Amino acid sequence: MIAPRGWQFFMHPGPTNIPHRVLQAMARPAVDFMGPEFVALRDRSLQRLKAVLKTQKGFAITYAATGHGAWDASIANLFSPGDKVLVPQTGYFAENWAKTATQYGLDVEMVATPERRAVDPETVGKHLAADAKGAIKAVMFVQNETATGMRHPVAEMRAAMNRLGHPALFMVDTISSLASFDFRMDEWGVDLVIGGSQKGLMLPPGMSFTAINARAWEMAQSARNPRRYWDWRSMVEDGRQVRFCGTAPIPYFYGLEASLDMIEEEGLENVFARHRRLANATRACVRQWGQGGGVEIWSLDAEAASDSLTSVLMPAGHDADRVRAIASERYGVALGRGLAALQGRIFRIGHMGDLNEPMLLGALGGIELALADAGVPHARGGVEAAMDSLRAPVATHATDLAGQEDRNRSLASA
Ligand code: PLP
């Protein structure tokens, strides 16, 4: 096989492109992880991470583990067997976090969400309202469901919990939203945050964290779930992480410092604006393709289409994995697959992390060629539509997506 020529466009919704600056920062000899150089780097980085989480009150505890590890840490530290938790069902990742809870012996109540719709906090609220005895210990909420490319309303969920005066802890998975679009730990009253290295933070996979506030810390003191590797009590002193269970993930901290430098230099709000711009362009492109009556944006809720990835639904009888294979093999564009029940029905275009306009346009061009090669009905001109979107003044999310909403409505009534 001939090695592919030119740049490959890596458009997975995680892991994402790793900037050379991060790679170079990580490529260094080992240092003493209890020595002054590393300890200062660790303290500095954990402090700076708070700005990305928008927290003054909370602090992060990091692990040499993927996001699944942070899921384990959240359940192991906070709960006892038999505790009840509520999980809005948003897709594959909500389900799998819930499975972690089940494995630890928790009683998990899933709240159904209609397919292709955002979580309705009022619906979740009804389950809380029915919990007169206060048995529900926590709501586990995925801000951005990477399996569907939909974002779910964190602030509104907290507001609903407050209105009901329910004491449940509020836990939010931000793995594919943090440093891509807005998240506010303190303002939105989030007690525990799940974060990962390989998406908006632009690091390799393999480092994750839980950020917690005083309430979560307090709850961890009396929780009876077994824990060793994840035990916060052995890693935290005076409200900050001072050690790891085992060797510290040294290179990740050098990478994290470079990533935080890049985010600070660009400005967090500008990072969000860039993600919005690229997401708008991607959606404009997919809507144009959809004029041919074929592909559609998965999210039917205009506000819920994610700024970090777009899931594209195939017309009946067409296989998303065939499009992915052609895009990858002929045009060097790597796309995310549909997970579990969505395999073959959707492909996912990641547009988060270290990405700019020409990278996106190149990838969208490759996908448009792949749609044509695969014989998928679509209208040409998606890349033009993306360019028009990039030329236009930044539209609000709602305005930009209004066309899709209308089209979906007319499709539904057709
Ligand atoms: N949560 C979300 C929303 C994710 O997107 C992912 C991975 O993509 C995870 C959790 C699990 O993270 P990891 O694959 O790093 O274990």
Side-chain angles (χ1 to χ4, degrees):
M1 192 172 147
I2 304 168
R5 298 282 180 265
W7 292 107
Q8 305 298 297
F9 290 87
F10 190 75
M11 305 296 289
H12 275 238
T16 60
N17 295 295
I18 308 169
H20 285 287
R21 195 160 153 190
V22 169
L23 288 172
Q24 278 160 1
M26 295 180 79
R28 55 175 8 263
V31 293
D32 175 1
F33 66 92
M34 293 197 245
E37 177 189 333
F38 182 77
V39 167
L41 170 69
R42 179 199 71 200
D43 290 352
R44 208 165 55 232
S45 306
L46 291 176
Q47 187 61 30
R48 290 173 75 198
L49 192 55
K50 289 184 178 197
V52 179
L53 289 157
K54 297 193 176 168
T55 185
Q56 304 272 334
K57 299 183 207 153
F59 65 95
I61 306 158
T62 51
Y63 318 97
T66 68
H68 278 71
W71 278 348
D72 255 64
S74 69
I75 307 294
N77 279 287
L78 289 174
F79 303 109
S80 304
D83 279 353
K84 183 165 180 176
V85 290
L86 203 59
V87 185
Q89 163 58 303
T90 54
Y92 181 84
F93 289 103
E95 259 167 44
N96 278 281
W97 194 11
K99 267 188 203 158
T100 309
T102 307
Q103 291 292 328
Y104 275 91
L106 271 62
D107 173 9
V108 177
E109 185 178 335
M110 300 297 287
V111 182
T113 307
E115 196 171 73
R116 302 177 69 186
R117 295 286 174 191
V119 169
D120 174 13
E122 298 307 323
T123 306
V124 183
K126 282 186 191 139
H127 290 247
L128 292 169
D131 177 41
K133 291 195 181 132
I136 297 171
K137 294 277 184 289
V139 174
M140 293 164 47
F141 197 91
V142 177
Q143 183 181 23
N144 190 64
E145 177 53 77
T146 326
T148 60
M150 293 190 63
R151 65 150 133 212
H152 299 283
V154 177
E156 291 79 356
M157 187 64 246
R158 166 47 85 188
M161 291 168 75
N162 288 350
R163 272 197 301 280
L164 292 161
H166 197 287
L169 213 70
F170 191 29
M171 304 162 68
V172 179
D173 177 328
T174 67
I175 287 200
S176 59
S177 48
L178 196 72
S180 294
F181 57 86
D182 203 11
F183 174 77
R184 307 178 190 191
M185 181 174 176
D186 289 357
E187 193 182 322
W188 295 348
V190 178
D191 300 296
L192 175 135
V193 183
I194 301 281
S197 55
Q198 76 273 28
K199 312 232 184 203
L201 289 176
M202 307 174 286
L203 298 166
M207 186 197 211
S208 60
F209 58 87
T210 45
I212 59 168
N213 65 11
R215 244 195 109 198
W217 173 251
E218 197 51 44
M219 209 158 137
Q221 307 314 305
S222 54
R224 283 179 284 102
N225 266 346
R227 54 198 131 148
R228 165 78 178 111
Y229 185 77
W230 313 114
D231 196 343
W232 296 338
R233 296 165 302 183
S234 60
M235 291 189 263
V236 171
E237 276 173 19
D238 299 329
R240 65 195 185 99
Q241 182 176 21
V242 293
R243 65 185 74 84
F244 299 84
C245 188
T247 308
I250 300 167
Y252 282 92
F253 275 89
Y254 286 98
L256 180 60
E257 172 136 274
S259 148
L260 293 170
D261 284 345
M262 291 176 72
I263 292 170
E264 270 177 28
E265 285 162 16
E266 186 175 357
L268 188 59
E269 303 306 315
N270 294 331
V271 171
F272 296 159
R274 175 168 53 80
H275 279 79
R276 170 64 51 87
R277 209 164 54 243
L278 297 178
N280 280 343
T282 308
R283 293 188 279 258
C285 176
V286 178
R287 281 201 299 275
Q288 172 59 28
W289 291 335
Q291 297 298 320
V295 297
E296 284 175 46
I297 296 172
W298 175 264
S299 176
L300 291 175
D301 283 337
E303 284 293 329
S306 165
D307 279 351
S308 52
L309 74 145
T310 298
S311 289
V312 180
L313 175 62
M314 302 296 289
H318 291 270
D319 180 7
D321 286 344
R322 187 164 140 70
V323 175
R324 287 178 59 247
I326 295 173
S328 166
E329 286 159 21
R330 291 189 200 159
Y331 303 111
V333 179
L335 299 167
R337 71 177 66 234
L339 299 171
L342 293 183
Q343 180 159 15
R345 288 183 71 198
I346 63 169
F347 61 83
R348 295 175 300 148
I349 308 170
H351 34 76
M352 76 184 109
D354 191 37
L355 200 73
N356 63 22
E357 288 81 352
M359 290 162 83
L360 179 72
L361 293 170
L364 294 175
I367 301 170
E368 192 165 320
L369 288 169
L371 288 172
D373 291 1
V376 177
H378 69 287
R380 291 165 58 170
V383 181
E384 303 294 324
M387 285 199 288
D388 286 345
S389 162
L390 291 171
R391 277 189 204 106
V394 174
T396 68
H397 203 61
T399 318
D400 177 67
L401 288 160
Q404 167 76 13
E405 245 322 56
D406 292 346
R407 205 177 85 75
N408 287 330
R409 233 178 265 123
S410 63
L411 280 177
S413 60

